[in-house]
Amino acid sequence: MATQTLSRRVQPARFRLRQAKWLGAILVLPAALFLLVFLAYPFVLGIYLGFTDARIGRPGEFIGFENYRYLLIDPVFRTAAVNAAVYTVSAVVLKTILGLSLAMLLNQPFRGYRFVRALTLIPWVVPSVLSAIAWWWIFDPQYSAISWLLRNGGLISENINFLGDRILARASLIYVNTWRGTPFFAIGFLAGLQTVPDSLVDAAKVDGANPWQVFWNITWPLLLPLTTILTTFSTLWTFADFQLVWAITRGGPANATHLFVTLAYQRAIQGSVLSEGAAVASFTLPVLIIVAGSAVWALRRQS
């Protein structure tokens, strides 16, 4: 009798467990379908197109590694590779330094600090294309606000062609990306600074540590995991930056500011060579995998 009663209790429990499993699968299914259709399928299709000679309006045939062999000897592609490395490293380093400095200033109590903190977010929350158009106007060779100020200040005699010179165009893009991304670092570091225990800082000051020693031996080690996360996300976003570069320079002058993503768009969409554009875009995958893997390894080691 007791065995029958126990079996009656176990059977509804198993039924409820099966229901819970099916319910979880049903709830996850829409998100899984979305990822499959809009992420997985384009990803696999892009890799496949890189091994074909497909063009817009023509599916193409499988040609193996021919697109990749051509790109390795293409001077424009090599320029884009160098630009992507310089652009990403320079911008991320500058954003890290400036973001940490700004966070330490915002962490100090002063009148109106809440308003200043909110104001700091403006470059980050403004749409990328809108800010890019504004900077394009600021760098315009004829109507540049920077050139106007310098010319009226007697520092230059004629307008500076920021976007017509290869070096100046690259530096301008790095500056704009730094301006836009610094608030992301500043807010992140500000949150991290507020978690640093005051007792540790006070104890270090009592022991005679100066501000630099407090920062280097207490604050910075506690911020290292957060720094790894911030720099990883920023590296991924900066390396794959399209909107700022395309809206300001479109890869010019003379293909001097192309990154992988802008060159891929130019070859695939404007040039109608889908296979070549897909091959260019595929070169970003190893870099992104290495950055993400390095971040995971660093976080595990720090923990």
Side-chain angles (χ1 to χ4, degrees), residues 18 127 188 290:
R18 293 195 197 99
I290 291 172

Side-chain angles (χ1 to χ4, degrees), residues 76-96:
V76 177
F77 174 80
R78 287 183 289 184
T79 299
V82 173
N83 288 343
V86 174
Y87 180 74
T88 303
V89 173
S90 301
V92 171
V93 169
L94 289 173
K95 285 184 285 191
T96 303

Side-chain angles (χ1 to χ4, degrees), residues 24-136:
I26 293 173
L27 293 176
V28 171
L29 184 60
L33 290 175
F34 179 86
L35 294 176
L36 183 65
V37 174
F38 293 102
L39 290 180
Y41 173 72
F43 175 76
V44 175
L45 179 61
I47 294 178
Y48 169 74
L49 288 175
F51 294 97
T52 67
D53 60 351
R55 292 175 175 268
I56 293 179
R58 181 168 64 85
E61 299 178 355
F62 185 82
I63 59 173
F65 291 91
E66 289 301 320
N67 289 319
Y68 296 94
R69 293 194 187 99
Y70 168 72
L71 289 174
L72 291 177
I73 62 174
D74 182 10
V76 177
F77 174 80
R78 287 183 289 184
T79 299
V82 173
N83 288 343
V86 174
Y87 180 74
T88 303
V89 173
S90 301
V92 171
V93 169
L94 289 173
K95 285 184 285 191
T96 303
I97 296 174
L98 295 176
L100 180 57
S101 303
L102 183 59
M104 296 185 71
L105 289 175
L106 295 176
N107 196 40
Q108 305 300 320
F110 57 88
R111 181 176 297 179
Y113 70 93
R114 290 187 179 88
F115 174 75
V116 176
R117 289 177 182 177
L119 200 64
T120 304
L121 282 173
I122 290 180
W124 176 252
V125 299
V126 171
S128 299
V129 175
L130 183 61
S131 59
I133 293 174
W135 281 106
W136 173 77

Side-chain angles (χ1 to χ4, degrees), residues 80 83-84 87 238-242 245 257-264 280:
N83 288 343
Y87 180 74
T238 305
F239 188 77
D241 190 8
F242 174 81
V245 179
T257 60
H258 267 308
L259 305 182
F260 284 125
V261 287
T262 57
L263 182 61
V280 173

